[in-house]
Structures are given as C-alpha cells and as structure tokens.
Amino acid sequence: MNFTSDNAAGMHDDVLAALAQANPGHASSYGADDLSRRVEERFAEIFERDVGVFMVATGTAANAVSLAAMTEPFGGVICHKEAHIVVDECGAPEFYTGGARLVGLPGDGCKLSPDTVSDALASYSSANQHSIQPRVLSLTQATEAGRVYTVDEVSALAEVAHERGLSVQMDGARFGNAVAWLDCAPADITWRAGVDVLSFGATKNGCLAAEAIIIFDRVKADEVRFRRKRGGHLWSKARFLAAQFDAYLANDNWLKWAGEANARASELSTGLSLLNSVEIAWPTEANEVFAIMPKELKTRFEDAGGAFYAWPGEPPRPLASDEVLTRLVCAFSTTPKDVEDFLSKAV
Amino acid sequence: MNFTSDNAAGMHDDVLAALAQANPGHASSYGADDLSRRVEERFAEIFERDVGVFMVATGTAANAVSLAAMTEPFGGVICHKEAHIVVDECGAPEFYTGGARLVGLPGDGCKLSPDTVSDALASYSSANQHSIQPRVLSLTQATEAGRVYTVDEVSALAEVAHERGLSVQMDGARFGNAVAWLDCAPADITWRAGVDVLSFGATKNGCLAAEAIIIFDRVKADEVRFRRKRGGHLWSKARFLAAQFDAYLANDNWLKWAGEANARASELSTGLSLLNSVEIAWPTEANEVFAIMPKELKTRFEDAGGAFYAWPGEPPRPLASDEVLTRLVCAFSTTPKDVEDFLSKAV
Amino acid sequence: MNFTSDNAAGMHDDVLAALAQANPGHASSYGADDLSRRVEERFAEIFERDVGVFMVATGTAANAVSLAAMTEPFGGVICHKEAHIVVDECGAPEFYTGGARLVGLPGDGCKLSPDTVSDALASYSSANQHSIQPRVLSLTQATEAGRVYTVDEVSALAEVAHERGLSVQMDGARFGNAVAWLDCAPADITWRAGVDVLSFGATKNGCLAAEAIIIFDRVKADEVRFRRKRGGHLWSKARFLAAQFDAYLANDNWLKWAGEANARASELSTGLSLLNSVEIAWPTEANEVFAIMPKELKTRFEDAGGAFYAWPGEPPRPLASDEVLTRLVCAFSTTPKDVEDFLSKAV
Amino acid sequence: MNFTSDNAAGMHDDVLAALAQANPGHASSYGADDLSRRVEERFAEIFERDVGVFMVATGTAANAVSLAAMTEPFGGVICHKEAHIVVDECGAPEFYTGGARLVGLPGDGCKLSPDTVSDALASYSSANQHSIQPRVLSLTQATEAGRVYTVDEVSALAEVAHERGLSVQMDGARFGNAVAWLDCAPADITWRAGVDVLSFGATKNGCLAAEAIIIFDRVKADEVRFRRKRGGHLWSKARFLAAQFDAYLANDNWLKWAGEANARASELSTGLSLLNSVEIAWPTEANEVFAIMPKELKTRFEDAGGAFYAWPGEPPRPLASDEVLTRLVCAFSTTPKDVEDFLSKAV
C-alpha cells in the first residue's frame, strides 16, 4: 500500500529481461551500439517523423540539458511556479543554462493558461537590456497536480510562445500517463501541437533509470549532444539505457503500463471520493490522486500501513486547520488489490 | 577478441543478479533506501574510516561534481595534460566548477612527478589577482597510459599539493585495477597517502553504470550532495545504483574482477612483447596494454577479427611513419582464450 | 526639469577636480596606488572598523560580485521581488553566482518584513537536497520605492537571516541618501545592525562611475578580490576610481550631496501633494518621489518640458484607468528652482 | 623614468577636457545619450562600414564579453599560450563563456602561425562528442611581446580559422600602437583581413577607462548587448565612456598618441641595443621594448630611479643565470627626455 511515488516502484520485469538480454558480449560504447540505433528508429516511428534522441538517466538531466540548448544565459524560462524544474531540481536548469531565470507563473492544477503566459510575456521587451529575455515556455505533462493538458491547450500555449519567439519544452516525466489518458497520437500532443523538445520519461513508469530528450524543432541536436556529455550524462555502456527503452517502447508497453497506473489512480480517486470526509483536489487524469482529507484520516491510513505524502503545493482552496492536502501516486505495478486494501482502511 | 575498451564489455552476472534481487517491492527513492545505507557502510569498512559516499552513473559525473566542490571558479586543477578530465569529458570539469582551469602538465606514462607539480605551482601566487589560483591536484589511478602510482608516489605528490593548500582528487575510473596491481589496502593508496576525494569507478569493471564519489577530507559532503542533484545525477530509483555496488563490493569482487582483467592484460602484454616487431610502450600494470606496432600488423590483427584502437596520446618515443601506438584493454570478462586467440593472429 | 533619474546627472565638480588632480604623473596600476590606500583608510574611518574595500564602476558589478562570494551556486538570495538585482540587472546575480536563484518576496514600498522573510525561509530545509538553499538576504537601502529601512528594521531582518545561517547583503546604490535621511552613523545601519556586505553607491550621487564593495563579515575578501578581476571589474588605472571616492568621502560630501537631493525630493513631494489630483504613493524619505497622478497631468508636465517616468512597479493601490504611477528623482545637482519651475507647470 | 606599463600613465589632457565638457546638464543614461551616438558613428567612419559598438571600462571585459558571444560553453578558444586572456585575466574568458577552454599554443614573440593553428585544429573533430570544440581564434594585436601582426599574417590566420568554422577575435588592447606601426587603414587589419570582433583598446593609450567591443561579422550584437549588461559593464552615466572615445578618436588622436609611444619605444630600443651587454629580445614594433640584460644592469637602472619589470614570459633563448628578460613600456606621455635620462643611467 505504498502510494508515496511512482519512483518507489522497481522496474518492470520486461525491462529487467531486456537488460539481461543486452548484456552478453561486447557492444560499442557511448551510444554507437545497435540497440541505441534501434531505439532511435522506434522513436521516429512513434512520433511519425525524424527526431533527435538523446538518452539520459534522470528527468532532471533531460530537462536541464534541453533547456540549456534552448536559451542563452540571459534568457528566461516561463513555467508554472510549482513545476518540477522550479521546486525539485536544486537549480539544475539555472546551472545548465548558465544562469537563465525560471519565471514561475500561477495556474490551477499546475496548468498554465495562454492568458497568464501572454500577460507575463508582455512585461518583457528585447529593447530593455536591463531585463532577462524570455526564451522558452516549459509545460509539464502530466502536471505536478496530476492534470493533463489537452491537444488544444498545448496548441494554444505553443502559439503564444512561438508568436513571441519562444520555443516550447515539455517536461514529460509522466508523458506516458498523459498520452494514455488523452488516447491520442504522441505526435498530436507534441510537435503537431507546437512542442519543440520533449523530456520523454520512462523511469517512473517501469524503467530503472531512463529518460529521453526528443528534439523536434528549433533546437540544434549538436548542442544537446555536447551538453549531454559535458553534463556527465553520456553513458559508456549506453546499451543499457537503450535496452530499457527497447522494452519500454515495444508493443506499446509504455502506454499499457501507464494505462494500468492511470486505472489504479482512477479507482483510488473514485474510492476516496466516496468517503464523505474526502475531497478530490483536482480531477484525477493521470496516475496521481490529490485529495484533501482530515489529518485524522491520513493518520488512520498510515497506521494501517498506507504510505503517502502531504503535498506542499498550493491547495485548490484554503484548508481548515484539521485538513491536509495529500498526494497518492499509482505505479505500473500497483494492483487493484493494493487500491482496495488501502481504501478498506478508511473505515 | 574485442580489446577496444573495458566499456565495451557488459556487466558481471553478479551485478545483473543484484539488480534482479533489488527489484521487487517498493523502496524509498533518492538514496533513502536500505541498500544505499548498506553500500555506504561497506565503503566505510573498505576504507577503514568514515567516508562520504555519493553514487552516480558516470565517471565524468563523479570527477566533475567532486572538482566543483573542491575549487572556486577562479581556481585551477593541476593534472596530467592527457588526463581524462582534460581530453575526454567535453569540458565537464570547467562546466561544473563554473569555469576553473585545467592546468595540464607533462609526464611519461601519464604520470605526474612531484617536481613537475612543484614547478608548475611555483608560477602561481595568491598575491597575483590576475591569475587563476591552483586549488586541486588531480591524479588518475591507473593512469591513461595504464600505469599505477605507488603509495610513495601518491604520498609525495599529495604532500606537494597540501603544502601549497591544494586538495587532492583521484580519478579512479580504474581504481580496482590499480589496487589489484598494488595489492595494498585501499586506505593506503587513498586517504592515508593524502587523497581527499576519490572517484571510485565500477562501470568499467563489471557494473552497468556505477561510480561513487568517496569523500575523505577537505571537502564538505553537503556541497557534493547538492551539486550531485543540481547536476541531474541523483537517481530516483537509487536502489539500482546501490545494488550494483552491493554486488561489486561483496566478497572483494571488485578486486577479483579487476585482477582478472589485469592478468589478461599481463598475458597479452607478454605475448605481444615476444613479437619482434612490437614494443610495449609503458609497463603493463593495470588492465591496459600500450603497444607500438607496425601499422601492417595492426591491420593483420583487425582483418582477423581483433578490435582495438590507435591511441592518440603522446608516444614514449617518436614513431616511424609505418608504426602506430595502440591501446588494448582487457575487461573482467576477457578470457585467457580471448588473449590466446588474438595473439595467434600475429603470425 | 529632468527628474528621470539621478543617473541623468553628471558628476559633481569636486569629483571632476579630483580626477584632474590625480592625473599627472605615474601611479601603480590595478589598485596598488596611494590614492586607493587612502580611500580604504577613509572607509575604515567612516565605518569605525576594519573593512574590505573593493572599488568597481557599476552598481550591478558591486552587487553581483558580492553575491557571488556569499552563496554557492545552489543557493538562494532572498530579496524583494522588485529589487534592482531582480528587475534591472539582466540576471547579473545569476551569472556571477553560477546560477543561484533570486527569491523575490512581496512587501509594501519595496521593503521586506521579518515575517515575510521568516515565512519564506520556513519552506526551505537543508535536509531537502532537491531544493535550492537560501544563503543571502539582500536588502536595498534606500528601496526601489524610495523608502528607507530604519536601524531597528535592518536589525530585525538581519537577525532572522543570521539565525538561519544566511548572510546579509545591502544594495546601497542610494546608501548616501538613506544615511542622510536616517541621520545615523553609517556603522549603525550596516554592520552594527547585522549587514555583512554593502554595495556603497557613489555614481548616482555625484560620481562618474564609482561603487565600492564594503566587506564587514562572513565573506572572504580574497573571494571578492579574485571575482572582481575575473568579472573584468579591476581597473588598470585604478587611481581614477579612487580619486572619485577621495572627493566623494572628503568633508562628508557624500552625505551633503545626498542631503541636497533628499531636500529637493522633499520639496517636490510636498509641492505635488498639495495638488488635489496627486497622491504620494509612499513616504518620500530619500531622493525619489513616487506619485500617482492623472495621466493628463503627466502629459501636461511633459509638454512643459518636465521629464520623468511612469513606474512599472506595483502601485500601493489599484490605479484607475486614467491614473499613472510616476517616479521623480532628484540628484545632488537638482536645484530648488528646478523643483519650483516644475511644480509651476502643474497649473 | 617609469617604464613599468602604459597603465601607469594617466589620461591625456584632451580626454580630461572631454570629460569636463560632457559633464554639465542631464544626459540619457545607459548609452542613450548623443555622445554615445556620435562615437558609434565615428567608429563606422574609421572602419569604413557599419559596426556594432559596445563601450566598456576594461580590456578584460571587452575580451570576455566578446568571447562569450562567440562560443558555446563547450567550445575552445585558440590563442597564444602567453596571451593576456590566458595569463592575466583570472579566468574571465572561462567565466563569461560558461567554461569554454582556452587552448594556448606556442609561437615566437607571442605570435601564432597558421601552421601552428592548423595543426592544433586538426586534433579536434565535431564527430568527437568527448572533446571541446574550437570556436574562436583569438589574436593579440600588438602581441604580449610587442610584435605586430601584418595584414597578410592576420589574413592567413583568419583564413585557417574561417575554413574550420571558427570566428576571429582580436584583442586590441594596444590596437592603436599596432595600427600606428603598420600605417594601414584600420579596416585592412581587421574585418578586411577576416577579423570578426575587435577589442579596441583606449585605456592604455591615454584614456581613463575605455575600451570598445567592435563587431564586424559572425556575432550577434544583441548577444553582446545583453552580456555586457549582465556582466555589470553597462555604465549608467555612459556619456563619460563616450566622452573619452570622442576625444580619443578626434583628429586621429589615437594614432598620434600611439605613434608617440611607439617612437619613444623605438628610441629606447635603439639606445639599449647600443649597449654591449643588452640584447633586444624581439623587434620593437609597438610601444614595448623587451630586452635581455645583465641583472646587474637592471639593478643599476633601478637604483638610478628607472622603473620597469622583469618579464615572466618565455624568452627567445635560454637565459644565463645572471641575465634577465625585461619589459619596458612607453606611453603616450613618455617624453624623449624620459628616454634619454633613462639611457644615461646605463653607464
């Protein structure tokens, strides 16, 4: 009954098997191996076009390396004020970009709106040499609050960005969960909607440590290539990054596994919402449930062996002193029984 | 018959088994798991003292994160001019340190001597605000040319460094191979000899992707902790870094595996040296053989299926136009038969 | 009738005379000249203690070099959200610090309160490696809105900062104006109140280009010395920085000139406040007047030759659509007649 | 008899007069003043084309800001190993570029040759992601050893650079001295010969603190504009930078003053060369004389009141133990009598 994070899960058996299968014999190092080629081709199929693919081990690396190739040091990255790049990466974006600024904006459910972005951009001007210059719009898909941007929403946001000369980065640490929810073509929610670079997450959804920077437009792949190495993120035994993706992308596993996690979250959300004392904070769209509950109930769950965290982000409404905003995350490996068992502890 | 690099090998079966064993169930993320604790304790035993342990996936990360915690941006890192940090990390040390300078010095077999270091340091002064300030001495153990610093050599170098207020970093990408050759206590060749921070390599010697920053002295662990995260090198599913080390450090596996690689290199070196046309460039002490051979011979080996590289470093003597300096690397997985087969192609 | 900025004024005749006087003959370069020594001694007298003195040409340089010596790159600088370091330095603090984050907080009149700072700090923890770490509290004296922190206010803020291990930087671009208003010992409003480093501004108050980093505590002077040079802010003909300060500090000129500017601002503020349609936004304490006026009145002033800017900062109350928040700045050289002439245009 | 540096001189009376003349009244700050416009136009005339002009106070700033706009952080700057950017700027280029590497090459008289540059470039490849990527060729004109590159030499070097995709930066801290020696059009030795960006020095040749970044090609002016501000190098009272240049560029003063300094150096060089015990190290082409002399003679000069430094750079030949390589610098203000008086002390 561990709902602390999808990071608390291990890897899918298929991923482990892929590592074992890739292990014997020699392979060219640093990404010159056949498996890496195959993964790159698979990504091109998935996104229905040529893409640049740069595999790394962590989401922070994927985001920070990408952003560094998208803005000069005097630039700004427009994002939600509770975005992972702001709150949870210890300043990695600032480090990799050489000190660009994260401009955090508000938005319910950790979603940005075109108007909010547009208003923020209006206060900057390239004529003002005293000010940092916005260069990137960063969207998190699914958001930190478990919400999913629709194709129309991403398109509208990207249009605002592109009109002002910004490029668009998508932090897709839970991209699989978002696409599984949207049930759309990956191309539709990314480059066709105006996304230029995607952090395609896999770790949280069943891999050991695997994220891919997917470059569509407006960014030079060479920049990313050198910056990845310079950041220490080029694996020597790169076949073991590729092997994870090979299993992850095969047979739409990434969508199936994400779909499982989403289904569990939906069940959990429904179950919690049936409790009188619990209020679901934001619609449960991906694999995370945000619930406002009595502190007493949280303690009861925990005493019964349930594990989940209070969420430090801004709640959708002011909380009473005996209430707490909580986050419960389901992983690819969470079972219906895990959810049932947990819910059974509420009473 | 692949001698291109120890990076071309896979992982040891024990490492794969450890990953499988660590996989089931939930574990706290970001290094708060039990396995990480156990590895930390194991390192303390190996080094016979308290140590700071920070696991990462690549050697470049281990070196660069360490150096960043050891020098201000206006500092200098004294090292061999052909050191990995100079030649093979795309400027990662400059990136992580905020632009400190690598001061590359000469030395046969890629070894530095106390006199060379001392002379270089003499040209700097803290009274000269126009000049960068040496802060770190970086030693590579084993060196890029396959040589191993003795305890006395490290001690003498560290003494020169400490006298001038520099701290000492050791790039131990092949630390196991060096210790296996030296047959000494790990403590003797590190902190007892004056090493302050060690990049303890494991990837090349049988792991998937695992290096550990080991902090002995003169560096604040907190700096390393935050800089690791900020560099994007903190794994969420950190148990899988720890699991590799757990297998690697168990039963002195790291020394056994390195010893195997060293033994193969020794056999290969001996075999090559018996060929009239081949000259061993530097004593074969770890798992790398450097050989000057006729280009024709290199081609013959390659035509027969042997794989190894010409080495771009400075040769020990000028080469004739038909000669080439080559590097042949043995891994934990290289078999005596691999060596025999290869040597048999010389004729 | 130019009230656009104190930067629009030239230099005081005494400063020009000092440049002329320092010009003949040779002088040691890079700050080894006698005049630089004299200025350093003069600062020690003014602050009644030993101080580190590092002269530079711009306020942005003084702030950014200071901050770089006060925080690691993974640190945070707590400041007002409209502070000069946030809004007007094109990210210089992020650049010099290696990507530390400016944490901008609200506060009326661009003043921070101990509670606001305390609350902000409570959301950070050194146990959280995913988060940047607050290291510096930066106060602007006088503030961007023309207000002046009292000794008690600075003391209370510094206490909050020091308790949490932060050091305190003061951006004193208009420090003279603040001290002239407070009529206190410079020591009382700085180190005795807990300020560790001060940007002592002189450019705006009658110099050509002269600011001094004054180090009291908690920062190593050597760091500042090397970072100043590395930033390109060490003048070769440093006597010409020193000469400006020599004139500026002589006979309490800096306080006299600031006092003149403050007096003009006070007269201007009083005059404007007598107009029915004008509302003084914040108490006029230093040399800047912030006034909410009808847009029509602003145009009338401008048509009559008055120059001043609309102020983009947050107004003290919502503005009507025909209102505008304006800033009018007086310099050492502004005359009572300038103020009278300007006010006469209101009708 | 001070020959320590041209930095030990003051400013030319014309520059002081220009500051006085520019002082009265108000002027737009941050470079929006009329005098700045006039200087920009004057530069366009001097270089016979449109140029980007960015004035700063120090040569280190001019170089470092330029280089930052010319290379990504993973780039390399090819330069002479004794160049000012390597030896005397405390790592400012590394700081501003975000950690690009200075690749110092040898060359007699601190001059680079096309072959040396070409050979160095041959060891780099864009296919090698492990290596920094050369992006800029930096030439010092006149060199640190007082030599001057001819138009043909610059052209040949720039051709090598451009062929490989590098842009060319010229450190012209003593550009006036070089042009005065060459007696050529400024355009001929810069953009017509392939120089993309020039640090146009004025401080050493009679100004207070004034250097200009002149952009010809291959660099976006906007990058320089924001990086100048971000570096803290945009003066608020920018008219005082412009006023210096206004006087400096008027009536070819810059060439006249440099010509005077060169003439004095020539006289000094000739006089020293007549002494049996003195050997001129490199041809005296600009305003610096490099002489190998008996240590005893150096002492004799100094005892008689002559001031000059031993030069730490590599001598043109091994020195005997009683010899010293010295540098004697003439300024715009050095008089024939200064030279005569000094020479008279040799006997």
Side-chain angles (χ1 to χ4, degrees), chain B residues 73 98-99 126 129 225 229-230, chain C residues 73 98-99 126 130 225 229-230:
Chain B
S126 65
Q129 65 184 314
R225 187 167 63 110
K229 171 67 195 185
R230 186 171 172 83
Chain C
S126 65
H130 306 283
R225 187 167 62 110
K229 171 68 194 184
R230 186 171 173 83

Side-chain angles (χ1 to χ4, degrees), chain B residues 79-217:
Chain B
C79 57
H80 193 277
K81 65 180 181 177
E82 296 184 25
H84 198 269
I85 58 173
V86 176
V87 175
D88 285 314
E89 302 189 350
C90 199
E94 287 98 330
F95 172 41
Y96 275 79
T97 59
R101 188 177 295 169
L102 304 181
V103 179
L105 303 180
D108 186 59
C110 292
K111 287 176 78 168
L112 294 174
S113 77
D115 283 354
T116 307
V117 172
S118 191
D119 288 354
L121 290 176
S123 69
Y124 293 93
S125 160
S126 65
N128 178 9
Q129 65 184 314
H130 307 282
S131 168
I132 58 116
Q133 301 292 312
R135 292 293 193 242
V136 185
L137 172 65
S138 176
L139 304 174
T140 308
Q141 178 77 313
T143 77
E144 302 301 321
R147 304 247 15 217
V148 176
Y149 286 102
T150 65
V151 171
D152 284 351
E153 287 171 336
V154 170
S155 296
L157 283 158
E159 194 179 329
V160 169
H162 289 164
E163 267 170 15
R164 278 287 304 254
L166 283 74
S167 51
V168 179
Q169 187 254 0
M170 179 170 276
D171 177 355
R174 294 188 178 92
F175 185 70
N177 303 96
V179 175
W181 164 262
L182 290 167
D183 196 22
C184 71
D188 287 344
I189 194 63
T190 54
W191 63 274
R192 283 201 197 109
V195 172
D196 299 305
V197 180
L198 168 69
S199 293
F200 184 98
T203 311
K204 289 181 201 286
N205 190 30
C207 286
L208 169 141
E211 312 278 317
I213 300 168
I214 307 294
I215 301 180
F216 303 112
D217 290 299

Side-chain angles (χ1 to χ4, degrees), chain B residues 30-31 72-75 97-100 125-133 135 220 222-230 234, chain C residues 30-31 72-75 97-100 125-133 135 220 222-230 234:
Chain B
Y30 297 115
E72 303 101 335
F74 52 81
T97 59
S125 160
S126 65
N128 178 9
Q129 65 184 314
H130 307 282
S131 168
I132 58 116
Q133 301 292 312
R135 292 293 193 242
K220 283 184 255 177
D222 245 24
E223 276 246 17
V224 174
R225 187 167 63 110
F226 289 115
R227 288 181 186 272
R228 176 180 60 171
K229 171 67 195 185
R230 186 171 172 83
L234 178 64
Chain C
Y30 297 115
E72 302 102 335
F74 52 81
T97 59
S125 159
S126 65
N128 178 8
Q129 64 184 314
H130 306 283
S131 167
I132 58 116
Q133 301 293 312
R135 292 293 193 242
K220 283 184 257 179
D222 245 24
E223 278 247 345
V224 175
R225 187 167 62 110
F226 288 115
R227 288 181 186 272
R228 176 180 60 171
K229 171 68 194 184
R230 186 171 173 83
L234 177 64

